[in-house]
Amino acid sequence: MTVFFANRVPPKARDAYRKDTISGMLGAVMLGLTAPFIAVIARKVLHASAVEIAILSMAPVAGNLFSLLWANIMEGRRKMPFAVWSWIAARSIFFLTAFARSSGLFVGMISAYYFIASIASPAYSAIMKEVYPDGDRARIMGYARVCTIGVYVLITAVASSLLGGDNYRIVFPIAGLFGIASVFSFARIHSVDNSGDSSVSLARFVRDGLLILRDDPGFRWFCAGIFIFGFANFMAQPAQTIYAVEIGVDTRWAGLYSILSASVMIVAYFYWGAYTDRRRPEAVVALQAGCWAAIPLNYVVATEPWMLIPTALISGVLGAGIELSYFTGVLHFAPPDRITQYQAVFLSLMAIRGMIAPFLGAVLQKPELFGEKGVFIVAAALILVSVVVQVIGMRKYTSLVSS
């Protein structure tokens, strides 16, 4: 099957690119039918509480708290089976949403999906490192994402009119079928990576992983800046969801935001892919984070659903680059034989912030404390602090691998 941009990919990576892109496009059908609507369905249809919204906010990263465990299990073994089977198990949960009639059950199922899917993250990083060449990786991944996002936009446009009331109980299981088909395509990528030492105990692996933050100061500052940036965003998410519903956002508006965001993301990937390959990840992340501060400030002034359109556009332009810069940033610092360990440490830190910040935000958004708009202002300030941290780290330290 011919896919867009394949002729721009180096010949040795072209077969992997095709299979990766087809997998991404099928996965985009799954995500387009589900992801933009999960929080709105939970709040507007199933009347989820602030705590349940906080759980949904932390769910995508909670499983990453176990990344060092997942990475240790994969050491010295082929990485592909871990990615394939965890994705199949996770995406099969969408079949069960046909029976989710309460907010608690719905939130629990979605949280389980994210938790199980997190097992694949260290394996996925190692596979991408293996199949795509250094110096071209972000650009190639950007091409794949353009194809993926194009499908995502089309599917979201259709799904936004289908997901009224409890129709999610029909649509989500259908999404699961496409998700599993996506896994089968990815599994066809030729990958033999079995890096790492399987004889290393979990205790030693975790200890060595934690020592990375002590022994690699450049990576430590990189992680610190991203930790603060992510903490601010996770803290604001429950208030953003609740405030959006209060000003009239429903599944149709959520679908529109997602379409607008994904549409500009398609164009942005062409820019960020090459830009990220040419520059240090700290500089890229600092630029993206500084611009991202406009998003919580947009919520401060928004009083109608249409006033959140700038947030959709900004998140689309920057979201494309943030995904690539995080990924390439870890590979920038990690020695070739420790990629899964570095990625596991990075994901564990993401999990910690993602599990604490939403609950803190859910508490602070109460009227007697900061209120929703107060939380947005604090989030914007923390994001700017993260920019300063990235700049300091970049000026003081370089990658131990490149030095």
Side-chain angles (χ1 to χ4, degrees):
M1 178 179 177
T2 302
V3 297
F4 291 111
F5 314 116
N7 60 340
R8 300 187 182 186
V9 176
K12 290 184 178 180
R14 202 164 290 167
D15 182 66
Y17 169 76
R18 290 192 181 97
K19 293 168 182 174
D20 184 24
T21 302
I22 293 171
S23 172
M25 293 167 69
L26 290 167
V29 177
M30 178 193 74
L31 292 175
L33 291 171
T34 58
F37 314 105
I38 288 173
V40 174
I41 289 171
R43 181 68 176 179
K44 196 173 189 69
V45 178
L46 298 175
H47 310 293
S49 66
V51 172
E52 287 174 326
I53 295 298
I55 292 173
L56 277 180
S57 299
M58 77 166 195
V61 296
N64 293 334
L65 190 63
F66 298 88
S67 291
L68 284 166
L69 171 61
W70 312 144
N72 178 247
I73 294 172
M74 298 172 195
E75 287 289 279
R77 298 179 175 88
R78 286 188 62 232
K79 306 302 185 290
M80 182 63 79
F82 289 96
V84 168
W85 289 109
S86 60
W87 280 333
I88 288 177
R91 296 173 185 193
S92 296
I93 291 175
F94 280 123
F95 300 140
L96 301 178
T97 58
F99 307 102
R101 296 175 178 270
S102 67
S103 61
L105 195 55
F106 181 77
V107 169
M109 288 179 180
I110 298 300
S111 299
Y113 156 74
Y114 284 122
F115 181 86
I116 297 172
S118 71
I119 299 173
S121 295
Y124 177 78
S125 298
I127 293 169
M128 292 295 100
K129 173 71 173 177
E130 177 189 3
V131 301
Y132 292 148
D134 295 338
D136 292 309
R137 187 174 298 107
R139 179 173 59 87
I140 296 171
M141 293 177 69
Y143 292 150
R145 297 300 189 276
V146 168
C147 299
T148 297
I149 296 300
V151 173
Y152 179 85
V153 169
L154 295 175
I155 297 301
T156 301
V158 174
S160 61
S161 61
L162 296 177
L163 281 163
D166 64 353
N167 288 349
Y168 67 89
R169 296 172 54 217
I170 299 172
V171 175
F172 278 32
I174 294 173
L177 291 173
F178 285 94
I180 291 176
S182 165
V183 179
F184 289 154
S185 176
F186 190 85
R188 295 175 59 235
I189 295 175
H190 179 67
S191 171
V192 295
D193 181 270
N194 61 352
S195 58
D197 185 357
S198 59
S199 66
V200 177
S201 67
L202 175 61
R204 179 184 167 190
F205 189 82
V206 171
R207 183 199 66 192
D208 291 346
L210 296 176
L211 289 178
I212 289 173
L213 296 174
R214 184 196 70 181
D215 300 334
D216 191 337
F219 185 64
R220 180 173 68 243
W221 280 81
F222 178 70
C223 289
I226 290 176
F227 185 94
I228 297 170
F229 172 67
F231 191 96
N233 282 295
F234 279 114
M235 183 182 70
Q237 277 184 9
Q240 287 171 344
T241 299
I242 293 171
Y243 184 72
V245 171
E246 288 175 354
I247 64 174
V249 173
D250 56 14
T251 54
R252 290 179 182 271
W253 276 107
L256 175 62
Y257 298 151
S258 187
I259 291 168
L260 291 174
S261 179
S263 297
V264 296
M265 190 178 288
I266 292 174
V267 179
Y269 269 121
F270 285 104
Y271 174 77
W272 288 117
Y275 186 88
T276 303
D277 280 330
R278 295 194 306 266
R279 287 167 174 79
R280 287 182 57 174
E282 307 99 312
V284 180
V285 172
L287 171 64
Q288 294 161 345
C291 297
W292 194 278
I295 290 179
L297 295 178
N298 185 196
Y299 274 87
V300 173
V301 300
T303 56
E304 299 286 341
W306 66 265
M307 296 178 73
L308 290 177
I309 289 176
T311 284
L313 298 175
I314 294 169
S315 65
V317 172
L318 299 178
I322 287 174
E323 179 199 8
L324 294 176
S325 57
Y326 280 12
F327 187 85
T328 57
V330 174
L331 297 183
H332 172 76
F333 289 102
D337 60 339
R338 300 188 72 187
I339 291 172
T340 55
Q341 196 170 34
Y342 266 69
Q343 179 73 353
V345 171
F346 181 79
L347 292 174
S348 296
L349 291 172
M350 290 182 68
I352 292 171
R353 72 185 189 182
M355 293 181 70
I356 297 174
F359 290 102
L360 177 61
V363 172
L364 294 180
Q365 61 92 29
K366 293 180 179 179
E368 61 270 24
L369 294 176
F370 285 22
E372 291 157 350
K373 294 190 176 183
V375 170
F376 302 150
I377 293 171
V378 172
L382 285 175
I383 289 172
L384 295 178
V385 170
S386 78
V387 174
V388 175
V389 172
Q390 287 291 358
V391 172
I392 293 174
M394 179 179 65
R395 291 182 175 179
K396 292 180 65 175
Y397 302 105
T398 59
S399 167
L400 298 179
V401 177
S402 59
S403 60

